[in-house]
Structure formats: C-alpha cells, structure tokens
Amino acid sequence: MKINEHFLQLKDSYLFATVGKKTADFKKAHPDKEVIRLSIGDVTLPLAPVVVSAMKKAVEEMGKKESFRGYGPDQTCYGYDALLDSILASYARKGVSLDKSELFISDGAKSDCGNILDIFSADNVVLLPDPVYPAYADANVMAGRKIVYADANEENGFLPMPDESVQADIIYICSPNNPTGAAYTREQLKVWVEYAKRMDAVILYDAAYEYFVTDPKLARSIYEVEGAKECAIELCSYSKTAGFTGVRCGYTIVPHSLVRGGVSLNKLWARRQSTKFNGVSYVTQMGAAAVFSEEGEKEISANIDFYRENARIIAKCLDDAGIWYTGGKNSPYIWMKCPFGMDSWTFFDYLLEQANVVGTPGCGFGKNGEGFFRLTAFGSRENTIEACRRITQILKRG
Ligand code: PLP
C-alpha cells in the first residue's frame, strides 16, 4: 500500500488556527476586554421564514407513507424539479437560458470545486489567482497538478487579467472574490473567456457571492458573457445567498456545449456524480427551492442588505482614514492595506491589542496577501459599528 504522497506537499493550514489561538490567549490575559470578531467567514442571520416553512412541509411529507421519498430522481442526477425549475428561472432573470440537464445539485460549492477535478487529467496546468481561496489550491495539490499563479495586487486592483505567455488548462475565477472582495466586470470576464478559448482551457467560475452584486457592470454569472458556455463551468452555493452554510446546498452548471477532445464534460460529470454521489436530501432541496421564489427573494435580500450595510460601514471607516482597500461593495469582504507599513501578522496583533478587534491576515491566502488584511461584514450591526469606532481611533492615533 502506498499513500497519495501529494498530500505531503500540502502546506499546513495554520491561518485560522493561529487566529483562534491568538484571540483565545488575548481573551485569557484580558478577561475584562470585549473582543469583536470581524474575521467571521460564516453567515450569522437565520434562515428565511419561507425556507423554514418549506423544509418543515418537506419533513412532514417524508413522515407519511404516501409522500415519503427515497433516493432522488436518477434522470436529473438527483435534483427535484421544483428546485431545478427555480434555478432555471433565476438564470432566466439574468438573461441566461439553461437546460435542466445542465444543472447538478450539490451539497455546496466547496465540495464541487475539488470534486470537479475528477473529470480532468492530472497533467493539466492549473491557473489560480494569488491570493486565493485555499480550497482551490489544496484540491489540486492533492491531485498532484502543476499550479501557476496570476498575481493579484494593488496595481491591478486584485483583479488579475490573463497573461498570454502562460499556458493554462484549468482556470479558477472567483468573483466577487474571497478573500479580496474584488469583482470582475462583464468586459473583464469577456477577456478571460477569450483567453480560455484560445488556450482550449476550462474556467471554473465560483459564483458563491453573486448575490452581493449590485453594480450593473458586474456579472452575476459567467454565462452573461458570450461564448462562456463553450469554456466555463459555474459553481454556485446557497451558503452566502441564503444562509445555508449549515444546511448545505449548491449547484454546478456544466453546459452541453462544453466539449473537449470531442467529449461532453456534462456527460463526464453526470457519470462521476452518479458513481460517487447520491444527491442532496429532499428536505434541503425543498428549502433551497423556496429561496428563489418571489417571497424567498424578498426575504433573502433583506438579509443580504443587512450584510451590505455592515460592509458599507466598514468601507466608510477606511475611506475616512484614507486606507486603500478592495471590496466593501458587491461583496461581504473588505480587503484593506495594512496601515503604517505593517505586515499582515503585525497588524493583526496591533489591532487585537489596541482595538480588541480580530480580522484575518492576508498573508494566509498567498504571498501577495502579505501586507493586507481581510475584514468581513457577517457580524452584528452593533459590533460592526463599535469595531469601526475603535479602528478609527487607533488609525488616528498611529
Ligand atoms: N467558494 C468560496 C469562494 C467561498 O468563500 C466559500 C466559503 O466560504 C465556498 C466556496 C464554500 O461554499 P459552500 O458553503 O457552498 O461549500
């Protein structure tokens, strides 16, 4: 027996563990201080009432012989019509027409951003932005794939554009981005689509934060760009859209027109899913189906508006202090340049000690994250306002 030695190449993911330990140590040493976490990457508002009642109804159905359901429908890779139809309708509202058989219901975007790699050869070169959501990098390291990085930095507003001299086969794009909050315009995505086509590459487009987009120049789906159906797979999630981080539901779109080497990637993914996956629970799917109903859209928009307002408050605090940042609009993340020329961990310690506020050091997301820091809008209003008051104070004091 030999283990998969590629796992030994993984870097220790010490980032959140270190943030947790430093915070716990500080609290122990200063029990009187009220520490505020602007590092929360999880949602904090509860599920929308319409989702809760849809799930309750589905549970009741499961408890009766006449309406009990077992495995989901085979012909749609376990997706129930009510959910598939609601997703198609949500795309139609973005001007994108899809077929039901192009949708694959998942237990979230994180699983599929790694699982989808099963349909690609290990020889492919992967292009990732730096800084990056760590799961993309780790899933490819596990498979032994070569990774090249596109530098995201202050000069390009943390939105790298294609470099024609780089040959890439699989390209991960996350927009609006975690950790930087930066989001591509439709025009910029068009350049990526054209590059991918020239390279015969496939884009894995992570749209986990699309619901935060309000600027009409920004895309909410890569399929808003002409030609994207021939080169892109889109990964979506109900986690940040509708507070499903603990419920678990998402969907992946593999268009029929995405063909490589004469083979339909949709067929490959359907085969992979029917072999290694048995679908998402009926109760979860019914809850998700309520999200894009008229009532659901209203209720989830109220939650997203709440996070948006937190993001606006944080962004204003940085604007007033003259600090450079990306995100804050169209995203729950604010990616700020560390003040006073500090590196990410020095600023982390400074912010914790002086303002009793916790954020996430940017260097944990890649080398280009050094000197940057991530704040999030997922906290309570009260904490967000108080954290900003303290941050303003320490930035003034220097
Ligand atoms: N993709 C990105 C960019 C994320 O930031 C996250 C979660 O933080 C995910 C995917 C995970 O989504 P899910 O909860 O659907 O697995």
Side-chain angles (χ1 to χ4, degrees), residues 140-163:
N140 280 287
V141 169
M142 287 173 185
R145 249 179 226 102
K146 181 177 170 200
I147 300 176
V148 291
Y149 286 96
D151 285 326
N153 48 39
E154 199 174 340
E155 287 69 52
N156 57 30
F158 284 90
L159 291 169
M161 295 305 293
D163 174 349

Side-chain angles (χ1 to χ4, degrees), residues 127-193:
L127 179 62
L128 300 180
D130 174 348
V132 69
Y133 175 56
Y136 308 154
D138 288 354
N140 280 287
V141 169
M142 287 173 185
R145 249 179 226 102
K146 181 177 170 200
I147 300 176
V148 291
Y149 286 96
D151 285 326
N153 48 39
E154 199 174 340
E155 287 69 52
N156 57 30
F158 284 90
L159 291 169
M161 295 305 293
D163 174 349
E164 294 295 332
S165 68
V166 173
Q167 169 62 51
D169 304 307
I170 300 169
I171 303 162
Y172 280 83
I173 297 178
C174 175
S175 178
N177 189 273
N178 179 14
T180 69
Y184 285 108
T185 63
R186 236 170 255 117
E187 283 307 304
Q188 288 170 314
L189 283 180
K190 190 162 169 258
V191 178
W192 275 109
V193 164

